[in-house]
Amino acid sequence: MSAVTETIQELLAIVGQEADYRNASLTLLENGNSRYVRDLKLNFTSTLTSAHLSEKECALLALSIAVNNNNTILTNFFEKQALAKEASAEDVAEAAGCASLLALNNVFYRFRHFTGKEKYTQIPARVRMQLMSSPVTGKEFFELMSIAVSAVNGCEMCVNAHENSILALGASEERIFDAVRIASIVTSAGKVIY
């Protein structure tokens, strides 16, 4: 067995998949004996730790990104991780709800930003966002999930607004950085584990 195949199997075991599971992306990496597989595994395992976020927060952030990216394997994995780190069912639901709400906001506010027309900022949005008003995970952490999803979805206006909110709530830039780092790693892993 090649080192690449062994690393793929180790990565699959981490996320609860059978050793022989393959999809088109994993097959390409395996057939090409890609050195990247080792980096992918090391990056992925690093999503579970942070000097600035608790393990529970890391898992919930990763869950929100997996839901945002519509990745069933990673959603199931990070849900289990979050629950194992003492997240409640309500915390888990909020991570999923945040992904959905921010997808809505990211499309809407990107549109407003891209057009740059004052008229569109004057028309009421007519969308409900009650989840943001009193989140069960706390305002600061909900904003961290929000900035992570917004970064993945490419909404500059949303990223800036959430960063300002997070800093105003007293959080450090290191917490913001780690939230976005986790989002990028989960997104990366989801390109080959799906």
Side-chain angles (χ1 to χ4, degrees):
M1 173 185 321
S2 75
V4 169
T5 298
E6 187 174 327
T7 304
I8 287 172
Q9 289 177 347
E10 290 168 359
L11 183 57
L12 290 170
I14 291 168
V15 297
Q17 295 298 301
E18 296 294 325
D20 62 348
Y21 172 83
R22 295 295 182 277
N23 57 40
S25 297
L26 285 173
T27 300
L28 290 172
L29 292 170
E30 188 171 28
N31 289 346
N33 201 32
S34 177
R35 293 175 297 140
Y36 173 67
V37 173
R38 180 169 165 70
D39 290 343
L40 176 65
K41 180 187 164 209
L42 292 172
N43 289 341
F44 186 76
T45 55
S46 78
T47 63
L48 306 177
T49 61
S50 164
H52 308 285
L53 300 164
S54 70
E55 289 179 330
K56 173 183 163 182
E57 289 173 327
C58 290
L60 287 169
L61 274 160
L63 173 61
S64 191
I65 300 304
V67 170
N68 179 72
N69 296 346
N70 201 30
N71 187 303
T72 303
I73 292 172
L74 295 182
T75 296
N76 292 338
F77 172 72
F78 285 116
E79 177 191 13
K80 288 177 188 164
Q81 289 294 313
L83 293 171
K85 300 302 177 187
E86 300 182 1
S88 67
E90 291 81 9
D91 294 334
V92 167
E94 191 162 273
C98 180
S100 177
L101 175 59
L102 269 292
L104 177 154
N105 284 352
N106 295 158
V107 170
F108 187 76
Y109 288 102
R110 267 196 327 254
F111 165 76
R112 281 184 168 177
H113 182 224
F114 289 163
T115 62
K117 291 185 176 180
E118 182 66 26
K119 177 70 174 179
Y120 294 129
T121 64
Q122 296 169 358
I123 301 170
R126 297 186 58 221
V127 294
R128 290 188 52 86
M129 295 185 259
Q130 292 301 310
L131 185 62
M132 284 183 153
S133 65
S134 57
V136 297
T137 56
K139 185 69 173 159
E140 186 260 359
F141 184 70
F142 191 88
E143 289 287 333
L144 281 173
M145 287 191 294
S146 298
I147 198 170
V149 173
S150 296
V152 170
N153 291 342
C155 182
E156 178 183 356
M157 180 182 241
C158 296
V159 166
N160 289 329
H162 292 297
E163 183 196 27
N164 289 336
S165 293
I166 295 164
L167 294 174
L169 290 166
S172 68
E173 290 171 330
E174 288 80 7
R175 278 178 64 80
I176 295 168
F177 186 86
D178 270 5
V180 175
R181 178 185 61 83
I182 289 168
S184 67
I185 292 169
V186 172
T187 299
S188 169
K191 300 298 181 187
V192 296
I193 302 170
Y194 54 85

